[in-house]
Amino acid sequence: MDDASLSCDTQDAGPDDAWLDAECRRLLGFGRRVVHPLGGAAWLDDDGAPDLDRPVHTWITSRTVHVHGIGALLGVDGAASTATGALDGLRGVLRDPEHGGWFGEVGPDGEPDDAKSCYAHAFVMLAASTAVVAGLPGADDVLAEATQVFEEHFWDDDLGRVVDEWDRAWTTPAPYRGLNSTMHSLEAMLAVGDVTGDVTGDDVWHRRAARLAGLVLELAPSYDGRLPEHFGPDWSVDLELNSHRPDDPFKPYGATVGHGLEWSRLLLHLEATLGDAAPAGLLDTSRLLFDRAVADGWHADGAPGFVYTTDWQGRPVVRQRMHWVVAEGISAAAALHRRTGEEGYARRYAEWWAYARDHLIDLERGSWHHELDAANRPQASVWPGKPDLYHAVQATLLPRLPLAPSLARAVAMSGGLRAPA
């Protein structure tokens, strides 16, 4: 695909559907070499080559199944094979045959780590639900096991919240509780509910997602739209966690701007899924989170782009620009515009696609630069290489689809989202 096929005027109106379709397929083409010799998905370098010195991660493998499973539904050549190869890693090297569930990662020597994380297992559920919709071999068994493991070990039905991490043998939970695993659990529950509800006639997973959202409905107004991410075992807020290591890739200090945008979007998906049964306040909270993320994060230090994190007064802490934050901003703006029809969201959508075009989309080596410095130059202090297509691919899909059902089911129902000729 040449550069001309990706030209678009994103400054005023945002990209059209044909451009979004082309970008989605370009991204998936970058990931065509992702299947790891051990099974699962490899970490990809800046050119899309597998970095075999790095572990095989369950979260990357699961996201690979998800995006390439959607690619299979779109009719992208080779996508079904890539998704199946990654799914085989969830059925093989990443699965714990002794205690059940999935390792967080397996090293290049084939040795697994000992922790079992909610974050990784949420993505296994998302991957399996997409794989079922795409008709990938073995998907039904993975989904059945993933939902059973999640119910048994990560879902706290008394509180309507999730446990963040266990040891390998499921004997002792870690004391930490986190909003990141909560967020991706809600995302996975919406997708699982779309797949299993048709079979069982039970919306249990959607109702669980609504209970998880209750935490954010409480937190957002209490902290002026800046969501605390870290909690103790009793769900007491810890605002100072990792203040000495603020750029931690999974547990950064302070408010994470991109998560405010991601939650803003997910609350609208939940509202659309549940209809009249949705909790009150989802739209208002979505607006609050979006507005706060934009006010604190966008152009916060005089240069375009979203800063990664802020302190609790909204001052930038980690100033790197992460590609996934822009992708989530695009997706959240599209969702709010679809929900409200307000032109302000459409203007933000176009503005952020223009930024992605100017600074993130790498037409020379492929995919998007994963991290930029405060001057919008590529760097790799937090995210070396280009290991993840999930956020960028979804940013090309979500603006073309309704707010419900979830992505794989929506693509399947659309007949493959064929772009205009």
Side-chain angles (χ1 to χ4, degrees):
M1 186 176 296
D2 60 26
D3 290 6
S5 66
L6 289 172
S7 64
C8 67
D9 182 7
T10 56
Q11 190 65 51
D12 297 322
D16 61 20
D17 285 358
W19 187 93
L20 291 171
D21 183 74
E23 176 64 358
C24 178
R25 293 167 190 271
R26 188 187 73 92
L27 286 163
L28 292 171
F30 178 85
R32 66 189 181 278
R33 294 178 283 172
V34 72
V35 177
H36 197 286
L38 291 176
W43 187 287
L44 299 181
D45 68 13
D46 283 316
D47 296 301
D51 184 349
L52 300 183
D53 291 329
R54 290 183 174 273
V56 181
H57 295 273
T58 292
W59 66 274
I60 289 179
T61 296
S62 298
R63 289 183 177 189
T64 298
V65 174
H66 173 59
V67 297
H68 286 278
I70 291 173
L73 292 167
L74 293 170
V76 174
D77 288 344
S81 176
T82 301
T84 298
L87 184 65
D88 286 346
L90 297 179
R91 301 169 67 195
V93 66
L94 290 166
R95 181 178 173 273
D96 184 348
E98 182 179 0
H99 300 290
W102 285 267
F103 305 117
E105 63 185 51
V106 173
D109 58 359
E111 287 297 313
D113 67 349
D114 287 333
K116 301 279 179 65
S117 77
C118 180
Y119 180 86
H121 283 74
F123 275 115
V124 174
M125 290 203 300
L126 178 66
S129 65
T130 298
V132 167
V133 176
L136 302 183
D140 290 298
D141 291 341
V142 177
L143 181 59
E145 182 174 3
T147 52
Q148 179 183 352
V149 169
F150 198 94
E151 284 181 312
E152 290 180 359
H153 299 293
F154 293 110
W155 176 243
D156 184 337
D157 194 57
D158 291 336
L159 293 178
R161 297 182 186 177
V162 291
V163 177
D164 212 80
E165 185 178 301
W166 291 84
D167 64 310
R168 179 174 179 176
W170 308 106
T171 57
T172 307
Y176 175 84
R177 301 288 183 271
L179 203 63
N180 195 8
S181 60
T182 300
M183 180 177 70
H184 287 294
S185 295
L186 184 149
E187 174 190 34
M189 288 174 177
L190 291 177
V192 169
D194 288 340
V195 172
T196 61
D198 290 346
V199 176
T200 65
D202 189 348
D203 65 349
V204 60
W205 288 102
H206 290 164
R207 287 185 279 110
R208 287 171 177 163
R211 294 184 70 191
L212 284 181
L215 176 60
V216 170
L217 293 175
E218 295 175 9
L219 290 171
S222 298
Y223 290 88
D224 198 19
R226 300 181 187 104
L227 291 174
E229 295 273 340
H230 312 303
F231 306 83
D234 59 353
W235 287 94
S236 56
V237 173
D238 184 351
L239 296 181
E240 297 303 311
L241 187 80
N242 280 340
S243 58
H244 65 293
R245 191 178 59 195
D247 63 349
D248 186 279
F250 290 104
K251 297 177 181 177
Y253 162 74
T256 304
V257 171
H259 285 167
L261 295 167
E262 202 164 355
W263 272 111
S264 173
R265 171 177 65 83
L266 287 168
L267 294 181
L268 298 181
H269 294 316
L270 178 65
E271 181 191 55
T273 297
L274 294 180
D276 292 342
L282 291 172
L283 176 59
D284 289 344
T285 305
S286 173
R287 289 181 183 275
L288 171 62
L289 293 171
F290 183 93
D291 291 346
R292 172 52 63 201
V294 176
D296 285 356
W298 179 249
H299 259 282
D301 51 8
F306 284 104
V307 298
Y308 183 35
T309 62
T310 71
D311 66 16
W312 299 109
Q313 288 72 49
R315 296 180 294 247
V317 175
V318 178
R319 297 172 183 268
Q320 286 98 316
R321 277 77 165 135
M322 307 300 178
H323 89 291
W324 69 266
V325 180
V326 176
E328 288 301 330
I330 287 167
S331 298
L336 277 161
H337 182 256
R338 182 178 291 274
R339 174 65 175 84
T340 68
E342 295 175 14
E343 285 305 307
Y345 297 120
R347 287 193 293 272
R348 287 298 190 184
Y349 173 80
E351 181 181 14
W352 296 335
W353 265 122
Y355 173 85
R357 175 201 62 197
D358 292 343
H359 299 288
L360 291 170
I361 295 174
D362 186 351
L363 294 177
E364 179 182 353
R365 303 176 74 178
S367 190
W368 293 18
H369 299 297
H370 273 35
E371 179 185 346
L372 307 175
D373 67 13
N376 287 299
R377 297 169 298 201
Q379 70 170 45
S381 63
V382 179
W383 289 112
K386 296 171 180 168
D388 187 22
L389 298 173
Y390 158 82
H391 292 281
V393 166
Q394 291 195 155
T396 70
L397 294 168
L398 288 163
R400 296 186 278 158
L401 293 165
L403 292 170
S406 50
L407 266 177
R409 178 54 61 85
V411 170
M413 291 173 62
S414 75
L417 264 183
R418 297 293 180 186

